[in-house]
Amino acid sequence: MLVPLRDELLQLCGTHSFLLAAKAGSLFALRIETPEKEYCQTIEPDDLVVVSAPEGGALEPAIMLAEFVRTYHMPLIVIAKDHPGSKRFSYLVSVGPVITTSCSIRRGTHPEQHLVCSSHELAGLTLKGILGGVDISGLPVGVTRRYVKCHISTEFS
């Protein structure tokens, strides 16, 4: 399914979880920090920033995480596979040209950016960034989609 996507964000909603997808919007180097080393991945304007909320929750933290990466180019942190904190990650981020969701991986432990942890109800989706949009395959029945517009502004007085 081809879905137009430009500056807005796309939310895919299951019953108890959601994904938020956005275009990267510019060419930049994404730093991925692991316990062993640092990786650098080139991100293209049509690549995707996908935030997964496997347990649902507020939309605003997902928006903030997407913006941290796509606007401010913040690095991603990957923890060790046996780290006890992995179960406390309620929002996860993956960035790249093609991203697949999986419910069988441990949260926050994968430096590979083609995969993001998801809930069971959103597992098996593939999102591919294309010119002017996103190509979504494996969309389960009952998953809804909506566009989200967000503008972050700062006022001083």
Side-chain angles (χ1 to χ4, degrees), residues 7 14-15 32 51 67 89 96 101 106 131 136 139 156:
D7 295 332
T15 306
I32 303 163
V51 180
E67 291 303 318
F89 286 110
T101 60
R106 192 159 214 185
L131 183 62
I136 303 171
L139 191 66
F156 296 98

Side-chain angles (χ1 to χ4, degrees), residues 6-153:
R6 299 197 192 301
D7 295 332
E8 66 279 312
L9 300 110
L10 176 66
Q11 186 181 23
L12 301 174
C13 302
T15 306
H16 304 289
S17 63
F18 69 86
L19 295 174
L20 188 69
K23 289 290 193 148
S26 65
L27 177 68
F28 64 94
L30 175 67
R31 306 284 185 206
I32 303 163
E33 308 297 337
T34 74
E36 295 82 30
K37 61 183 182 176
E38 177 181 69
Y39 296 91
C40 185
Q41 180 175 323
T42 300
I43 302 302
E44 302 283 342
D46 281 315
D47 286 354
L48 298 173
V49 177
V50 174
V51 180
S52 176
E55 299 162 356
L59 180 60
E60 290 80 1
I63 293 170
M64 287 184 235
L65 283 171
E67 291 303 318
F68 278 151
V69 175
R70 78 177 187 159
T71 302
Y72 301 102
H73 308 154
M74 297 291 289
L76 299 182
I77 306 297
V78 178
I79 61 175
K81 293 198 185 299
D82 60 349
H83 195 287
S86 71
K87 61 183 169 264
R88 288 188 270 287
F89 286 110
S90 51
Y91 299 89
L92 303 123
V93 182
S94 190
V95 186
V98 179
I99 299 168
T100 300
T101 60
S102 174
C103 64
S104 64
I105 60 173
R106 192 159 214 185
R107 295 179 185 191
T109 63
H110 288 269
E112 302 86 3
Q113 292 301 295
H114 71 283
L115 198 59
V116 69
C117 180
S118 72
S119 65
H120 179 68
E121 67 182 342
L122 295 177
L125 280 167
T126 298
L127 297 93
K128 180 180 180 183
I130 58 172
L131 183 62
V134 58
D135 186 8
I136 303 171
S137 60
L139 191 66
V141 174
V143 172
T144 59
R145 63 186 171 112
R146 65 181 176 174
Y147 290 106
V148 178
K149 292 196 179 220
C150 172
H151 300 284
I152 299 173
S153 63

